[in-house]
Amino acid sequence: MLQPKKWSVEWGGRTLTIETGKLALQASASCTVQYGDTTILATVVKSDNIRDGIDYFPLMVNYEEKLYAAGRIKGSRFIKREGRPSDDAILTSRIIDRAIRPLFDERVRNDIQVILTALSADGENEAAIVGLVAASAVISMSPIQWNGPIGAARIGLDAEGNNVLNVTASQIEENGKLDMIVAGTPEKMIMVEAGAHEVTEDAAYNAMKWGCEQLGPVVDLIKQIQSDLGVAKEVAPEFANDIADVEDNVEEQVRKATEEFVKSVADSMIFNTPKVTKEERNTMIDAVKEAAKAHLTEKGFEEDAFDAGLKNLKTYISNEISKKIIDSDQRLDGRKLTEIRELQNEVDLLPRVHGSAMFMRGDTQVLSIVTLGAPGDVQTLDSMEEEGTKRYMHHYNDSPFTYGDVRPLFGPSRRAIGHGALAERALEPLLPKEEDFPYAIRVVSEIMGSNGSSSMASTCGSSLSLMAAGVPLLKPVAGMAMGLSSREDEGGNMTDWKVLTDLQDVEDGPGGMDFKIAGTKDGITAIQMDTKTQGLGWDLVEKTVHQAKTARVEILDSMAQIMPEPRKEMSPYAPRITTITIDQEKIRDVIGPGGKVINKIIEDTGVQIDIEQDGRVMITSSDGEGMKKAVQIVEDLTREVEAGEEYEGKVVRLEDFGAFVELLPGKDGLVHVSEISWERTNKPSDVLKLNQVVKVKVKEIDNLGRVNLSMKALMPKPEGFTEAPPRGNDHRGGRGGSRPSGGRPHHGGPRHNDRGPRRDDRGPRPQAPKTHTPKPEAPKSEDSSSPDDKPKKKFGLFGRKDK
């Protein structure tokens, strides 16, 4: 029998509702959280089995997008069910993971899995926020030991620069100056993720602090739920620190002995000399490990038990490094707390790519490569909350050699996807507008060596490579990872701390943080922070934000020495794009029925063509001749024929009354038999052939849109020539003609009522106005045909005859 329970609170102008006891009752705990119409099912399960042989806390966090939640069916014609998680789902999983992980006891070796399933998405309320609140609620309801609860919120700015709680998607679209997700409590921040358009350090800090202050109602609601449910948290006696409790526990004794040994050799083996390179640090760690083995042997422990202490050796060394920083401001490599490692930058490393750059900071080395493509090369988005396209893509690739490791190669990890997205977010606000630079842009950052903040190195390398490729970035962008050394009391309150500029591997231990901030000299464009503490206080956050700017400006100055501004010219191997703006009504003429016209252009010229609804036709090609030909075809297709213009065109149809000549693709005009030559022409076929190229001049375009042409207007008039009046002005009547003066005009057909009076002076005839009232039609002869009887094309009456 279901016994659901429900709790609600008004928060940010909407109702937040948490319900348990209805769904997923087999889990250790489950609940649904609804905010607006976005609803997330959260479950948590802890395995009874302890995993041996691992040196990490095995937490799995999975955010599951369901397209039905947004009322959508997958766009693929062949696969309709959800497959591998989208990048959006992976990024959401990482956000939730980074927020809840620090509050677990990292010594736990039982598998714990938190699954967040999107059941409903309203497109306005961010599913990541609801999912994070749901994760906090479900773990708090479970018996699993966890130092929560926490809350989460999405912060934006309004037009006046004021903070907005749980800003909606439409508000972000209207004023996207800031899009920030914070997690924590009103007193501490435990996670932040943000994208911004050059907000100031003070604005970013105020948004983080204000956002966390708004989390009180959520934290209080979850605490109320814990109280109402009478949740009893489990105790883990195997983690007791009192040696009296572990006298018979050999593993715990080995851990204690190893930790004490590392403390005893800190000065003699760890800090005896500066360890600048990763190789030097690894050599030191190996030496301490061998010495620890010898020490444990002296203590009488069996070799089989050594692993209990040695698997935590790096943690013990990190603790000593952190202690030395806090007590003496001494870093392992000898740097000051605010000092950046040696910087090395270079551009144009690769010969054929569109742009390349290397950025190196200490042992961290990144090679970034730019590829420019046609507008049609953009990425199509098809996730639960995202539809449309993305023209700027940044992909981050690391390999086993990046870390000096050996392991099988697989696809990109969640970490690689997250790092790529962070660098992408940092640069996106400074890209040129699509109207000014319509290229699809892909940057790939190949991580050649990693030892601290390769994602921020990717941001710097991408900025350099884009400018080297000739992409007109509005400003260069750089990033810096800030670290932390700290001590906490038993209640998780931080007692001592020091902020570190340019974090590296051994400094990212317990009590630390990885606070990445990217931007320009004028403001912040991206933030990402996770911590190994119980949360960061606001004085620490404020110091970090401002200390990071000093480092960022230093890096930007270094980058400016080799690439002060974007190049004016792109690589000769990059495609060129020519943009033509046409009448929107002409778009269908370029595309043609079933795409026949545009596909024929592409086939004949080798270009790519992309058409926007506003009438922009973007032609992309690396071949100058192909580009020129395609541009001419499109211009001809959309060009309006005007009286007085001259053309060379093919004869595409012959009739007794005249010849049809193709002026432009799909646009024909009629040369009346009387306009073929100054000499008399009985039938057009006597002097013209199909597909013959002739020169014509546009005499007029009548009020029905029919184009009347003349060949003889481009020929010299014979000396002494006088023109006889035509038998009829209507193109569909008889044949008119002329011959030299002195002879009697020949009348080759019936007289017509519209001939007018005979002109005895043989002077020039008055020109008919371009717009006039049509005269009565002459009767049709049996052997004459009318264009009106032919199939009409959309370009007007004189369409080409279907063959």
Side-chain angles (χ1 to χ4, degrees), residues 32 133 413 440:
T32 58
V133 172
S413 65

Side-chain angles (χ1 to χ4, degrees), residues 396-459:
Y396 172 107
N397 294 329
D398 57 353
S399 300
F401 67 78
T402 301
Y403 313 96
D405 292 342
V406 177
R407 64 174 184 267
L409 288 173
F410 299 104
S413 65
R414 292 188 0 166
R415 175 179 176 274
I417 291 172
H419 282 8
L422 177 60
E424 181 179 293
R425 190 183 316 124
L427 278 156
E428 193 169 17
L430 282 308
L431 292 173
K433 293 181 179 179
E434 186 178 0
E435 294 78 9
D436 301 326
F437 194 79
Y439 290 87
I441 307 168
R442 181 178 184 238
V443 181
V444 177
S445 290
E446 302 286 356
I447 312 304
M448 298 298 170
S450 180
N451 179 29
S453 191
S454 55
S455 62
M456 292 294 91
S458 298
T459 301

Side-chain angles (χ1 to χ4, degrees), residues 73-81 382:
I73 296 176
K74 195 173 182 68
S76 169
R77 296 174 57 192
F78 305 101
I79 301 174
K80 293 300 181 183
R81 70 176 300 153
D382 187 23

Side-chain angles (χ1 to χ4, degrees), residues 90-321:
I90 289 172
L91 297 176
T92 300
S93 297
R94 282 175 52 83
I95 287 174
I96 298 171
D97 187 308
R98 300 202 325 270
I100 65 175
R101 183 179 291 273
L103 302 180
F104 286 98
D105 190 321
E106 64 176 7
R107 296 171 296 174
V108 171
R109 295 297 179 262
N110 302 73
D111 284 314
I112 296 177
Q113 186 172 34
V114 179
I115 299 178
L116 297 312
T117 306
L119 301 180
S120 176
D122 61 14
E124 286 292 323
N125 296 287
E126 175 66 51
I129 298 301
V130 185
L132 219 166
V133 172
S136 175
V138 78
I139 301 171
S140 298
M141 294 177 190
S142 78
I144 301 170
Q145 187 66 35
W146 189 62
N147 291 330
I150 59 173
R154 187 183 191 187
I155 309 303
L157 296 175
D158 62 19
E160 287 74 38
N162 301 311
N163 294 315
V164 179
L165 176 62
N166 290 333
V167 61
T168 63
S170 57
Q171 288 174 315
I172 289 290
E173 186 174 350
E174 181 179 346
N175 182 24
K177 184 75 173 176
L178 176 67
D179 187 3
M180 175 183 288
I181 295 175
V182 294
T185 66
E187 298 76 29
K188 298 178 182 178
M189 182 172 70
I190 200 164
M191 192 281 304
V192 62
E193 184 96 18
H197 286 256
E198 295 188 283
V199 299
T200 65
E201 275 66 26
D202 287 338
Y205 166 74
N206 290 333
M208 288 184 274
K209 187 173 186 294
W210 183 87
C212 284
E213 289 171 349
Q214 311 309 307
L215 301 179
V218 178
V219 174
D220 292 342
L221 178 66
I222 297 175
K223 286 180 177 179
Q224 179 189 338
I225 294 171
Q226 283 183 304
S227 176
D228 292 348
L229 294 177
V231 175
K233 292 293 184 179
E234 61 189 12
V235 180
E238 66 271 21
F239 297 143
N241 289 318
D242 189 344
I243 196 66
D245 295 335
V246 294
E247 287 181 352
D248 298 328
N249 189 328
V250 175
E251 286 191 0
E252 199 62 35
Q253 291 177 27
V254 170
R255 291 190 191 102
K256 287 289 184 181
T258 306
E259 185 175 10
E260 292 300 322
F261 173 76
V262 172
K263 290 179 181 179
S264 68
V265 299
D267 290 334
S268 60
M269 297 190 72
I270 300 175
F271 292 99
N272 56 333
T273 60
K275 310 297 188 297
V276 177
T277 67
K278 190 172 185 178
E279 183 180 359
E280 291 172 338
R281 291 188 291 276
N282 288 338
T283 300
M284 175 268 292
I285 292 171
D286 291 341
V288 173
K289 183 176 182 179
E290 292 303 315
K293 288 180 180 179
H295 175 74
L296 293 173
T297 301
E298 290 177 6
K299 289 287 186 179
F301 294 108
E302 297 291 334
E303 188 174 347
D304 291 345
F306 287 1
D307 189 57
L310 297 180
K311 67 184 180 182
N312 297 316
L313 186 70
K314 289 184 179 180
T315 300
Y316 302 147
I317 292 174
S318 291
N319 289 339
E320 293 306 308
I321 292 172

